[in-house]
Structures are given as C-alpha cells and as structure tokens.
Amino acid sequence: MGHLQRLGADEATVERITAALDAEGCVVVERFVDEAKVAALKAELAPHRQQTPQGRNDFEGFDTKRIYALFAKTRGFDELAIHPLLLGVLDHVLGHYQLSGPVGIDIGPGESAQGLHRDDVVYPLSWPHPQVVLNTMWALDDFTEANGATLIVPGSHRSSPAERPSDDDAIAATMPAGSVMFYVGTVWHGGGANRTDERRLGVILEYAASWLRAQENHVTAVPVDVARTLEPRLQELLGYNIYPPFLGYVDGRHPRRALGDRATS
C-alpha cells in the first residue's frame, strides 16, 4: 500500500492536505492544537468520561467509552469544527457537508483492535463513487502503537468495498497529543489495541455530504436552546442547513429560521 504523510502545523495548507488525501486517503497534521487547548478539552470531557458506560459490542469496544452527542455536552470543539483549514479541506473533498458522527473515543486498557472498516459503508452507494465522508481524529493523548493508535491502510481509499486489505497492511497512526489525522471515508482503518494500563482519548469529528443522512441526529441530540447560542456556521453543520436547491427546508424556509435571532432568511 502507501505511506502516511505527516505535516507540521506550520506547513499544513489546504493544498498540501488535499493532495495527501488524494494520493493516500489520509494525512497527519502534528501538534495542530497547543498544549493549553488540549488540557482544556480533556478537562471539559472529564465528567463525561466518568459517566459514559463501556461499549456494547465489538465495534464500539467492550473496554471503550464512546461519548456521543458531543456538541450537546461540550463547547471546546466548536472552534475546531469550523476551523478555516478544516473547512477548506472539506470544501475540496465534499463540497457541501455537515457533521455526521462526532464522538469522543476513550480506549481503555485491555481493549482489542477494532476490525478494519470504511466509514462510508453505512451508505448503500454503488462503487465507485465520489467521496461522501471525511473524518478527522483529534489526539488528546499521545497516540502510540501500544495504547491504541488508529490503524490505517494508506492508499486503500481507491479499492472496492469488497477488497478488504489484510490486517498486516495496516499501520499505527502514531501522533503526539494535539495532532489531527484527516482521512476519507473510503480508506480502511480501525481502532488499535490498548496494551497499556492507561486510557487513550481521541475525538472524531466526522463530516458527510449534506444530501446524506448524518449518523447522529443532531437536531434532536443538541437542545434548541443550546443550538441558538452557536455560531451560524456550526448551526448549519449540525443540521440547520439546506442542500441546494431546497433539501432540508422547514415550512418552506431555511431551517435556521427556527432558531430565532441568529437565523438567516
């Protein structure tokens, strides 16, 4: 297969990231978030990590906690979700998009490796098709081979969904805390095994084309009183959007009209 390209935060541009995604389906931007922001995000997630139960099946991970409804529970990821660099990459890869399945992934000691999969498999689309999913994994701890760094198969994004690569083809996407890995919905990947005695925390901000149904129903998950306080661009990404010419309207008008003062016509 291919290789996992790495960029420093100071050299990451839309052009370089999208070129790497086109070539390999994935790319790491190291230390994109500074230490103070990482600490603040971990502190905000701390009570939810304590309250969230372990997973219910092999895919979620029986020793993994998944923090769903992220934008109903935290505010620290708001600015990351609409960061200009991320939106520029999304403009290139998806064109018109929305948040799909944002989730905190807290892998505990003893967790086994997740099976390799593609994130676009939830959509019954014929192959080949354009990219409809772009994922970002934000490392809030150092991701190592030992603690469950995401396993990914660079270059597998052009293969058919029926052509599952061998587990031996996957490499560990190691990266220091504060880094983010971009990867498209057709690249094969999975969570790694945690062979340490410490938990490993990462957060996925997943986006999908806005003509598709998002994995999480954000309009229900995020209370309206909370949604009203958010930046308009984030409101749109959480489902208060229109896919041209009119998919998603409410009573014939833009759905953000339902949010009141900050809405558009």
Side-chain angles (χ1 to χ4, degrees):
M1 291 292 177
H3 72 282
L4 178 59
Q5 185 173 339
R6 298 172 182 276
L7 301 170
D10 59 346
E11 59 185 354
T13 63
V14 170
E15 293 74 21
R16 296 191 72 173
I17 292 171
T18 55
L21 291 175
D22 289 343
E24 303 292 349
C26 51
V27 60
V28 167
V29 179
E30 295 189 338
R31 295 183 173 88
F32 186 76
V33 178
D34 65 30
E35 291 182 5
K37 178 66 173 178
V38 170
L41 292 172
K42 292 185 73 171
E44 191 173 12
L45 284 171
H48 304 294
R49 296 177 75 179
Q50 293 177 351
Q51 299 164 8
T52 300
Q54 304 278 28
R56 299 160 290 185
N57 51 56
D58 285 336
F59 187 82
E60 285 189 325
F62 290 110
D63 292 303
T64 294
K65 297 182 177 184
R66 291 182 175 249
I67 304 169
Y68 295 111
L70 199 64
F71 290 92
K73 299 171 181 175
T74 70
R75 296 276 62 84
F77 294 94
D78 292 5
E79 63 181 289
L80 299 181
I82 57 174
H83 191 283
L85 180 66
L86 176 52
L87 295 184
V89 174
L90 284 159
D91 288 343
H92 174 86
V93 177
L94 299 182
H96 202 288
Y97 46 87
Q98 62 191 330
L99 280 158
S100 181
V103 59
I105 301 182
D106 181 0
I107 297 181
E111 182 62 88
S112 58
Q114 186 186 45
L116 295 178
H117 61 281
R118 295 162 44 128
D119 284 333
D120 69 346
V121 72
V122 298
Y123 300 114
L125 301 173
S126 59
W127 180 258
H129 61 72
Q131 295 295 340
V132 296
V133 172
L134 178 69
N135 224 324
T136 56
M137 168 61 86
W138 301 80
L140 299 187
D141 292 317
D142 292 341
F143 275 33
T144 69
E145 290 191 29
N147 74 1
T150 305
L151 301 172
I152 198 157
V153 185
S156 63
H157 59 307
R158 294 194 179 93
S159 63
S160 160
E163 299 176 75
R164 184 188 186 280
S166 166
D167 290 345
D168 293 337
D169 293 328
I171 62 173
T174 58
M175 50 183 172
S179 303
V180 56
M181 180 170 67
F182 292 74
Y183 53 107
V184 295
T186 58
V187 75
W188 290 83
H189 68 282
N194 188 346
R195 300 185 298 276
T196 73
D197 58 3
E198 300 288 339
R199 305 193 70 87
R200 188 232 74 184
L201 181 62
V203 168
I204 284 176
L205 298 183
E206 180 188 39
Y207 298 79
S210 54
W211 54 272
L212 292 169
R213 184 169 187 175
Q215 288 198 45
E216 185 161 48
N217 188 332
H218 307 295
V219 173
T220 298
V222 181
V224 172
D225 287 347
V226 172
R228 286 194 179 104
T229 69
L230 304 179
E231 290 296 320
R233 189 70 182 97
L234 184 56
Q235 291 172 344
E236 292 177 349
L237 292 174
L238 288 170
Y240 295 90
N241 65 70
I242 289 288
Y243 180 79
F246 48 69
L247 293 182
Y249 68 81
V250 175
D251 198 19
R253 307 177 81 179
H254 195 288
R256 280 183 47 225
R257 296 281 298 188
L259 295 179
D261 293 342
R262 302 188 77 164
T264 59
S265 57

